[in-house]
Amino acid sequence: MRQTELIERVKAYDPNADEALLNKAYVYAMNAHGKQFRASGDPYFTHPLEVAAILTELKLDVPTIATALLHDTVEDTYVTIEDVKKNFGEEIAGLVDGVTKLSQLELFSESTKQAENFRKLMLAMSNDIRVLLVKLADRLHNMRTLSYIEKPDKRRRIAQETLDIYAPLAGRIGMQNMREELEDLAFAELDPEARNSILTRLNRLETSTGNRVGRIADEIKRKLAEHGIDAWVYGRAKRAYSIWRKLKDKQLNFEQLSDILGFRVIVKTPEDCYRALGVLHQSWRMIPDRFKDFISNPKTNGYRSIHTTVIGPEQQRVEVQIRTAEMHEVAERGVAAHWRYRERLEGETMDSALRWLRDMVELLERGDSVEEFLEHSRLNMYQDQVFCFTPKGDLISLPRGATPIDFAYMVHTDLGNQTVGAKVNGVHVPLHTPLRNGDQVEIIRQKGSTPSPLWEQIAVTGRARSEIRRFIKHAQHDEHVRFGRKILEKEFADAGQELTEKAMQAVAKKLRHSRPEDVYADVGRGALRSHDVLVSVFPELKKSKGRSAPKPGGAISIEGLTEGISYHLGQCCHPLPGDRIVGVRKPGEVVVIHTIDCEELEKADMEDWIDVSWGTSADELGPTLARVSVRVKNVPGALGAVMTVIGANGGNIFNVKVTNRNPLFFEFHVDIEVRDVAHLQNILGALRVNAVVESVDRVRGPGVAEGDSVT
Ligand code: MN
């Protein structure tokens, strides 16, 4: 194929084609590929040129042909997408970019077994159908030259991928010819023996029956003419791959396969189609269940035809497809034909952009069933989905707007529950980042980590949301049980009694609970008073309510200190119940409690260290102060958003101090009253997933001076 030949081909169906543009794309691509060569030994440029030639057979517009010429320049040469934009404008650059992205996607397909999802991904990413058409033509030419590739396993992989992904894609957009050729080429590579055996048998059959196909076609034509119907009739044996598939699917042998012969009857009008059908059914016996009317009920991809199978003139079952010339072109060229007819009807010129969506709408207007509506809008429907890869290459399908949280729960509930971070395409991103098509997502998990209640707001899938809700409900229940048990233990201990399992079972029975655990949970969430539980076990204690004095030094919830010794919590490190702690006693001073990692400990003499731990009543100590450092984006409302998150998670803000402010972000310390470390962790987790928050850390340092606060 030469430059002039390509231009002539385009001119043949589009006399107003922009010749200069085609010439420019030709020269540009040829220079870019320079001295690159194909596996066949041909100059590389022969490939884009052949791809362009394939697309001229589909009579595609100039931007598509130019895109075909340029389609490998960005992927394989020094040319950038900006270069293409500068030289050929937005439209062509957009198309070339689309094809390049699909090519990059191919790198993943090797490891994915989910062909259906992969096809959807290709459709979702081809927001212009022309991108897909170029990609299919690219694959077709690569399949035609497959034999030049030396490595057998590489050939097989490409052939399998063609069979799994590209051939069905071609079929889905109605391009039956391309589908069949792709299948046949792949079949030849994957199972040459099966293919040869079918071809041999077809040959033998044809020889043994003389030119049976021709005779039957003539007979059909004659019968139709008798009834005044002018028709073009031709027949052919089915393709080897489709015969082979039928043999496999139906568990038949070759001799049992009846509909090896297929005939097409092309007439002028839809009315003629029905008349021709009547003639065929009158002349030969039809086979019930084989009749399909895709004219009154077009196929999902726009295909229209009448199919019927009759016992033909030579007592052989023959399948006949009846259609008009227009229906025929659509059947052969699929979506590519739709807009051409439309434009011819409206007198539009060929250089107006292809709007596949408009074609879909047109198909829709013609159709009448809901099912069809769904099928037709399918291309469009995938625009509402994103398809992302796991690090292993599995494809996960998600609704648009889905975040790494949704992704994690889609992979596995446990993974979702233990998520602490995410990498997209190798880069750390906040958990609220919306995912895009083709993203590779790696979830960072940590054993023992738990979901934040805030995730429910950033997840978009029902699955993630319900799992988060379920987890939190369980976690709350566990928390209530733990807490309720502690309260009861103290209540019983204060009364000089022991909290025994047996006693609790009795209480549970009395309250119609099945387990003591439920009693603890009731107490823990405040639905049942601990004293009432005590009294129900020891009724004589009823009067003594209120008599039991708090423990000596009631406020002391630190174990390891001699009774009566006073202490306070370090202002340097703000220990929280749950932290590992050490007491420091200096002569003449109160004991100061520090966290184990507090710098102040290093300054103190080890001699002065006292081994302490939180007492059981620490939970009832009341709120304790924790300090966190938050860095937020410098956007309106950021500070308020942070305060809302803290409040919503039960934290009481005690003080706020801005420590750093610049045009990009500002940082501040917040002192929050929390119950314990777990409560603090919960707040930190909720802050981390907020959109405005860049970082959150717990701070240990000197206390916030009074009057330092900012409101
Ligand atoms: Mn290519």
Side-chain angles (χ1 to χ4, degrees), residues 404 420-433 435 441-442 444:
V420 289
K423 281 185 186 177
V424 170
N425 304 323
V427 180
H428 276 282
V429 299
L431 288 174
H432 56 79
T433 311
L435 297 173
V441 184
E442 185 188 341
I444 300 157

Side-chain angles (χ1 to χ4, degrees), residues 161-229:
E161 191 182 77
T162 300
L163 210 50
D164 292 344
I165 293 164
Y166 293 93
L169 261 182
R172 181 161 305 171
I173 58 174
M175 310 181 73
Q176 295 314 323
N177 275 359
M178 189 179 281
R179 177 192 187 133
E180 285 178 1
E181 187 176 351
L182 286 171
E183 281 175 347
D184 198 45
L185 290 164
F187 188 34
E189 175 62 40
L190 293 171
D191 201 343
E193 272 179 38
R195 181 170 175 272
N196 285 336
S197 125
I198 289 170
L199 291 178
T200 311
R201 281 155 181 249
L202 281 174
N203 254 329
R204 210 182 295 154
L205 193 70
E206 187 61 19
T207 326
S208 70
T209 55
N211 179 21
R212 185 167 63 182
V213 173
R215 284 198 312 271
I216 296 176
D218 286 347
E219 181 64 13
I220 293 173
K221 198 171 158 63
R222 200 180 57 78
K223 281 274 182 203
L224 292 174
E226 270 176 26
H227 290 81
I229 302 167

Side-chain angles (χ1 to χ4, degrees), residues 38 44 47-48 51 68 71-72 76 99 103 135 138-139 142:
R38 297 270 291 171
Y44 192 91
H47 164 65
V51 174
H71 83 269
D72 275 332
D76 294 340
V99 179
S103 301
K135 192 65 216 163
D138 176 42
R139 175 53 61 123
N142 285 336

Side-chain angles (χ1 to χ4, degrees), residues 557-569:
S557 55
I558 304 288
E559 286 184 347
L561 290 179
T562 319
E563 270 181 21
I565 297 274
S566 61
Y567 70 95
H568 68 239
L569 301 176

